[in-house]
Amino acid sequence: MTIFKAFCAAIAAATLTLSGSATFADDLLASRLGAILGQERQALAVVPDTRMTMLTSLPPASERGVATQSGVVYDRAYLASLPVVDGDDEWACLAEALYFEARGETVRGMFAVGEVILNRVDSSAYPNTLCAVINQGTGRKYACQFTYTCDGLAETIGEPRSWERVGKVAQLLMEGTPRALTGGATHYHTKAVNPSWAQRFPRTAAIGSHYFYRQPIRTASK
C-alpha cells in the first residue's frame, strides 16, 4: 500500500467513527497519521544524500528557461556596493539622461529607461551614438526626443548621490548588461500622459511610473 493510499485509509477510518466519540476519532486519526509518517521517515532514511539533493533541488535557471541577468541585481544595495564611475562623453550623456528622466525610479526603472536609449542606438531609425540619440531634436522647445534637453531649463545636477547611482547604471548598461526588462522598447512615457504614438505602438512593459513601447519596424513595400 502506498503512503497516499494509507493516508486515505486513515482518513476514512477516522470518518467512520464520527458517529461515536469525537475524542476517539481524533485519537485514532492521530495514531494512524503518526504511523504513516513514521513509515515515510524510514523510507527517506535509506535514500542517499546525493539522490535526495537532486530530488529536492531546482534545475539550473538555464535549463528551466528562466532569464538571468549576469549577476546584476536591481536594487540600491547592489549599486552601492559598486565603485564610483567617471566615464567618457558617451557615459556622461547616458548618465545625464538617466538622472533627469529616471532618478526617482526604482533601480529596475532606471535600467528600463536606459534600455530604451540603447535600443535606439542599435536601431537604424535613430542616430548611432548615445549622445546623438539623447540630444536628437534639441534646440526646438518641446520638439526633442527627451524633454529635459529642450524644456528651457538648465541641466543642473543637484543630487550627488542620485548622480552617483545613475552613473553606475549607465556604466553597467554600456558594459553589456542584458536588456531583458522592456522587450526591445524604443519609447516610453509616464503614466500621467497619453501621447498619440502610444495608440499605434505595441506596449511591451509597465515599470514604475513608465509605460514602454516598441516602434514597429517598417518594411519596404513593392
Side-chain angles (χ1 to χ4, degrees):
M1 179 181 291
T2 65
I3 292 175
F4 177 74
K5 289 182 178 179
F7 179 83
C8 292
I11 296 294
T15 303
L16 291 175
T17 66
L18 290 178
S19 57
S21 169
T23 302
F24 176 77
D26 292 340
D27 291 344
L28 177 60
L29 180 58
S31 175
R32 294 289 181 88
L33 291 178
I36 292 170
L37 292 174
Q39 294 172 11
E40 184 178 6
R41 283 194 294 269
Q42 290 176 3
L44 292 175
V46 300
V47 179
D49 291 342
T50 54
R51 178 64 175 170
M52 184 60 68
T53 300
M54 183 178 69
L55 291 172
T56 58
S57 300
L58 285 173
S62 58
E63 294 182 11
R64 292 182 284 126
V66 177
T68 58
Q69 301 300 327
S70 298
V72 174
V73 179
Y74 296 117
D75 65 35
R76 296 194 175 194
Y78 171 74
L79 290 181
S81 71
L82 301 177
V84 177
V85 179
D86 184 14
D88 58 14
D89 289 344
E90 289 286 280
W91 167 84
C93 284
L94 181 55
E96 183 181 84
L98 294 175
Y99 180 86
F100 290 106
E101 293 284 306
R103 72 179 182 276
E105 286 286 328
T106 63
V107 174
R108 185 179 293 270
M110 295 178 198
F111 272 94
V113 168
E115 281 189 19
V116 169
I117 297 171
L118 288 167
N119 288 339
R120 286 194 175 197
V121 173
D122 290 345
S123 170
S124 60
Y126 296 92
N128 59 6
T129 68
L130 289 166
C131 290
V133 162
I134 292 164
N135 292 296
Q136 188 176 13
T138 299
R140 296 173 295 157
K141 193 168 185 178
Y142 298 121
C144 54
Q145 296 294 309
F146 297 90
T147 305
Y148 82 92
T149 68
C150 64
D151 59 6
L153 302 175
E155 282 79 63
T156 302
I157 306 297
E159 300 175 20
R161 294 187 67 179
S162 294
W163 173 251
E164 180 180 304
R165 190 177 299 122
V166 297
K168 295 176 182 181
V169 173
Q171 184 67 23
L172 288 168
L173 285 165
M174 292 176 68
E175 288 177 348
T177 295
R179 297 175 222 163
L181 296 175
T182 65
T186 53
H187 291 67
Y188 64 85
H189 67 76
T190 67
K191 296 177 180 179
V193 301
N194 186 27
S196 60
W197 50 259
Q199 310 305 314
R200 305 189 307 272
F201 297 173
R203 184 186 296 177
T204 59
I207 301 173
S209 63
H210 291 102
Y211 288 128
F212 294 83
Y213 302 79
R214 183 176 59 252
Q215 184 174 3
I217 299 174
R218 295 182 179 180
T219 57
S221 58
K222 295 183 179 179

